[in-house]
Amino acid sequence: MQTIPEYVKCVQQTLADAGFTPYLVGGCVRDLLRGVEPSDYDMTSDALPEEVLHLFGEDAHPTGLKHGTVTVVSGRHPIEITTMRRDGAYRDNRHPENVVFTDRIEEDLSRRDFTVNAIALSHAGEIVDPFRGQEDLRLGVLRCVGDAETRFEEDALRMLRLLRFAAVLGFSIEEETLCAARKLRDLMGTVAHERVYAELNKLLCGEHVQRVLLDCPDILGAVLPEILPSVGFEQHNFHHCYDVWGHTCRAVGAVPPKRELRWTMLFHDLGKPQCLTFDEKGIGHFYGHTAISARIAEGIMERLHFEKSLREQVCAQLACFDDLFPPERAAIHKEMVRHGREVVGNLLLTKRADNAAKAPEGLARAQKPWLEAQAIFDLLVAEHACCTVSELALSGDEVKQIGFTGKQIGAVLRKLLFEVADGKLPNTKEALFRRAERLWRSGYGSHTME
């Protein structure tokens, strides 16, 4: 078992010294038992919220008094301390109408979602495990505490958490739990979009996301209905041995666990079912599908309230997803000028993931030019190759001294930048200044802007 940090022990000891019985609960206990360092720590105890506030003074913050939760800051780390409780009736498939405080840890654990999250660890190191969560941890199984349908009817978000835990932990889902989630999946329509979005971000970045997407598109489709037309949609093309959804799942799993990449791969083929055509040989084609996919993605991102930065990143990746260029220095350098280093770096990753999710036969041949392009890209990055106007050795003021004015200045700098990327010019002040003078003498920019 992982060692519990001192800042956590300090809070436990303070509660114990005051006569209360603290327990670590939830994900932190699950991770400690797995030998994984928890990202945060949650506690429960028989101390009432007002007693916790009094005991920890200015380090305690009333973050959820209605449900008995106080956040205590210890060593700059927030720890949620919730009074042991029984939940009242759930009327909105999300929150209990009221809670009843208790001093029995078993009652508190009985209201939790899955057995692996219903284990408590006392201050003295005693494990309380009334639902055999340790056995499910050992087996790698996700199972609801008690009746699965009841757990999901209480809180519909638990169905999405089920998929998230499966994707992150790599655990299988117990049959009754999975059947209940399939039966009640439409209840997730009552869950706030922000909560759905938070779970999907974690799910998509899970190491085992591919299997979960392949196994549970019906459940996921309750919050992302746009994926459902792709499930079982055959591509009728020798480049693809999987249907659209099968390809999508494998493409998501083939890129690194960065949100902008995983969302891009989830979105990139959503438009295919809308634009299948056949040629004279009966081969399927999907002309224009990326643009349709981008429009579908925009709708999803707006509905789920993506933050602006991630939305822009995903849009940028989809906008250049179909770009083709040879594995040559000038071609890749110009692509970096058009889209930026980060976007092109991600583009190369998505290209390889897209290939990896098509058909095993011929994969090495398909990947070869993109691996060559990656090597050239890495070299350009290492060389700090000039990719923006601001990185040119010639400034706008210096271009202005030659005689250019207004929009001409930006147009000239942009032309110089592309000529540097094309290998026609070195990025030196002298060479760029001479080239700008020749452009001025030739009348460049006097009538049209390139």
Side-chain angles (χ1 to χ4, degrees), residues 102-228:
T102 179
D103 59 0
R104 295 188 63 241
I105 184 61
E106 291 81 5
E107 281 191 297
D108 186 87
L109 295 176
S110 70
R111 68 180 178 81
R112 296 178 181 268
D113 51 8
F114 309 113
T115 60
V116 297
N117 295 333
I119 308 170
L121 180 62
S122 76
H123 179 44
E126 174 191 1
I127 292 176
V128 182
D129 182 15
F131 302 104
R132 303 175 69 179
Q134 292 177 94
E135 181 178 349
D136 283 341
L137 266 182
R138 180 177 59 81
L139 296 173
V141 172
L142 292 168
R143 184 194 319 269
C144 279
V145 171
D147 180 67
E149 289 190 23
T150 300
R151 292 286 82 79
F152 293 144
E153 286 171 344
E154 288 172 344
D155 184 353
L157 186 64
R158 286 171 174 165
M159 289 177 270
L160 204 51
R161 282 167 57 82
L162 176 70
L163 301 191
R164 188 250 289 186
F165 286 130
V168 172
L169 302 175
F171 287 9
S172 62
I173 301 173
E174 181 265 335
E175 185 176 356
E176 288 187 13
T177 298
L178 183 58
C179 287
R182 289 203 158 108
K183 178 180 178 181
L184 300 173
R185 62 186 182 271
D186 290 341
L187 291 179
M188 285 192 286
T190 64
V191 179
H193 293 313
E194 291 82 358
R195 299 306 302 269
V196 169
Y197 173 57
E199 289 296 329
L200 289 175
N201 274 314
K202 297 172 185 176
L203 187 161
L204 284 176
C205 289
E207 182 181 353
H208 307 275
V209 63
Q210 176 178 310
R211 191 188 73 188
V212 172
L213 295 181
L214 284 169
D215 291 348
C216 303
D218 51 345
I219 300 174
L220 189 62
V223 293
L224 287 175
E226 294 87 350
I227 71 172
L228 295 177

Side-chain angles (χ1 to χ4, degrees), residues 274-437:
Q274 297 185 27
C275 57
L276 173 63
T277 59
F278 293 92
D279 62 21
E280 65 280 359
K281 296 180 180 179
I283 297 173
H285 299 280
F286 300 93
Y287 300 116
H289 78 274
T290 303
I292 297 173
S293 299
R295 289 198 295 273
I296 295 172
E298 283 277 12
I300 294 171
M301 292 190 289
E302 181 177 357
R303 182 177 76 245
L304 295 183
H305 305 153
F306 273 49
E307 62 267 40
K308 183 171 183 273
S309 59
L310 181 58
R311 182 185 299 198
E312 289 175 347
Q313 287 175 306
V314 172
C315 287
Q317 295 305 148
L318 290 172
C320 66
F321 194 90
D322 291 334
D323 283 9
L324 295 174
F325 43 88
E328 299 171 358
R329 182 184 176 94
I332 295 166
H333 196 168
K334 286 189 286 187
E335 191 77 2
M336 294 165 71
V337 167
R338 292 186 189 97
H339 302 294
R341 293 178 180 85
E342 183 178 7
V343 171
V344 175
N346 285 340
L347 174 61
L348 293 172
L349 294 172
T350 62
K351 290 288 190 183
R352 299 209 303 278
D354 194 43
N355 279 340
K358 289 180 179 177
E361 187 175 345
L363 177 59
R365 183 174 64 255
Q367 297 287 45
K368 184 174 183 294
W370 298 114
L371 291 170
E372 293 173 355
Q374 182 71 57
I376 295 170
F377 171 82
D378 291 342
L379 181 62
L380 287 165
V381 170
E383 293 175 352
H384 303 287
C386 176
C387 294
T388 65
V389 165
S390 64
E391 294 169 351
L392 286 170
L394 193 68
S395 70
D397 286 340
E398 289 165 321
V399 170
K400 187 176 181 180
Q401 292 173 12
I402 296 172
F404 291 104
T405 59
K407 293 182 179 179
Q408 294 175 337
I409 297 172
V412 169
L413 289 172
R414 191 76 177 162
K415 182 172 181 58
L416 294 175
L417 177 60
F418 270 97
E419 290 186 358
V420 168
D422 205 25
K424 296 176 180 178
L425 275 176
N427 186 24
T428 64
K429 181 169 296 194
E430 182 181 2
L432 294 173
F433 193 87
R434 287 201 308 268
R435 175 58 176 150
E437 284 184 318

